Amino acid sequence: MAEKWAFERGSKHYPACLEDLENPPNVLYGIGNSEIFETPMLSIVGARRATPYGIALAEMAARVAADCGVTVVSGGAMGCDCAAGMSALAAGGKTIAVLGCGADVVYPRSSKSLFSAAVKEGAVISLDSWGTPPRRFAFPRRNAVIAALGSVLVVTEAGVCSGTMSTAETAEDLGRKVYAIPGSIFSPTSAGTNKLITDGARIIPDEASLALSLALDFGATVLKQEDKTSPKSRVMSALTASPCRPEELAMRLGENVLTLMRTLTDFEAQRIVQRLPDGRYTPTREYHLGLVQTANMNEQRTL
């Protein structure tokens, strides 16, 4: 059974970075490694209803952080949060999940595997006492703690009006560094990240740039650096830019719609595209991860 603990403000293990908040929590409850706050920490946030692109970005960012020996902080929610935590653990790193309920309450249920693993290689923490159920007003407070814990905040995917954006605004107010990964100008879930870049957040155009930024900001040794991804087909390039229906894709590429439908069917069978409920097609998470793996292999061949 993982260790339970509760740190009062001002005690030895209470994270000093939380003192930057306007209203620091009086008590921090947790399960897992009670010394986890002594490690370098990076927060990763993103959309709950994330696209495959957003999930792949969260996984990539967490993996790079783990490679640099940096603990990943997230909210443990569905979507980008859960993807980031699981990816950090899969890469041999550590993660902290900050909940909007008691640290011993599993919410959402879909993140049960993350919480179970996090208490062994990190911690699950909360501002609320044991057994407290999730409440709507608790999540803005939770988001502020996520922003405060990491000296850097990575925003993977976010709408303009979202909890992710409020977390980014809090991080900026606290003087934390904010990284934002750009997305399609046609994607509502990338509108927030693109706006952050416009407003001055550090743009992260690729994995190698993220690794370099973490090395500079944390004084970490970069264990892996990725080169640019391999060239993509015209179809995949178009779908990466913006999900669309077969007839829209045919018009954009100047191709026969029946030919493109056969191509999309083949790609769907290969699990590199998926059909959304509204009939549009978009690259899968597996496709985006495959690009990174290809880049890894290409670099290894040059070593």
Side-chain angles (χ1 to χ4, degrees):
M1 184 69 179
E3 176 191 4
K4 281 187 175 182
W5 37 264
F7 298 150
E8 293 186 0
R9 185 180 177 189
S11 64
K12 177 182 178 181
H13 290 299
Y14 187 91
C17 53
L18 295 186
E19 295 292 348
D20 294 339
L21 292 169
E22 184 176 348
N23 295 301
N26 292 321
V27 181
L28 196 65
Y29 300 86
I31 306 175
N33 182 359
S34 61
E35 298 180 351
I36 191 67
F37 304 114
E38 298 176 12
T39 64
M41 293 178 286
L42 171 143
S43 300
I44 299 177
V45 294
R48 285 183 298 121
R49 300 188 180 280
T51 66
Y53 175 72
I55 294 293
L57 292 180
E59 292 177 336
M60 177 271 288
R63 184 180 64 255
V64 173
D67 289 342
C68 291
V70 177
T71 297
V72 170
V73 180
S74 77
M78 62 185 290
C80 292
D81 282 11
C82 186
M86 293 299 288
S87 180
L89 294 171
K94 301 181 184 300
T95 191
I96 299 172
V98 188
L99 307 191
C101 55
D104 57 344
V105 176
V106 178
Y107 180 83
R109 298 295 299 179
S110 59
S111 296
K112 182 178 180 179
S113 296
L114 169 62
F115 301 153
S116 297
V119 298
K120 300 175 183 177
E121 299 294 339
V124 175
I125 68 172
S126 174
L127 288 68
D128 298 308
S129 59
W130 310 113
T132 302
R135 297 158 297 169
R136 184 178 295 274
F137 67 82
F139 289 93
R141 295 167 52 233
R142 183 277 304 263
N143 292 345
V145 168
I146 293 172
L149 284 176
S151 56
V152 171
L153 176 76
V154 178
V155 184
T156 58
E157 192 174 46
V160 173
C161 298
S162 63
T164 299
M165 287 295 284
S166 67
T167 305
E169 290 168 2
T170 300
E172 290 175 340
D173 292 341
L174 294 174
R176 306 302 191 254
K177 295 182 179 179
V178 177
Y179 301 172
I181 304 177
S184 169
I185 63 173
F186 300 108
S187 173
T189 53
S190 288
T193 49
N194 292 343
K195 183 178 186 302
L196 287 172
I197 292 168
T198 301
D199 293 342
R202 182 181 300 179
I203 183 171
I204 301 297
D206 52 40
E207 187 167 348
S209 298
L210 176 60
L212 180 59
S213 293
L214 294 185
L216 293 173
D217 289 334
F218 286 95
T221 300
V222 182
L223 301 182
K224 297 178 183 178
Q225 284 195 21
E226 314 302 340
D227 205 344
K228 292 183 179 180
T229 58
S230 58
K232 299 180 287 290
S233 69
R234 295 176 66 222
V235 170
M236 295 309 299
S237 295
L239 292 179
T240 298
S242 178
C244 56
R245 298 178 178 83
E247 57 273 18
E248 297 170 335
L249 187 60
M251 183 177 299
R252 182 179 303 177
L253 300 179
E255 300 286 350
N256 181 278
V257 66
L258 294 179
T259 300
L260 278 176
M261 288 181 68
R262 285 193 292 268
T263 299
L264 291 171
T265 299
D266 290 342
F267 283 2
E268 194 170 15
Q270 297 171 36
R271 297 178 61 83
I272 62 175
V273 302
Q274 68 183 58
R275 189 174 184 273
L276 301 175
D278 62 3
R280 295 180 302 161
Y281 284 83
T282 188
T284 61
R285 178 170 63 96
E286 290 83 357
Y287 171 75
H288 289 296
L289 291 175
L291 293 177
V292 173
Q293 292 169 359
T294 299
N296 287 342
M297 294 173 62
N298 288 341
E299 180 170 354
Q300 289 173 1
R301 292 193 186 102
T302 65
L303 295 178

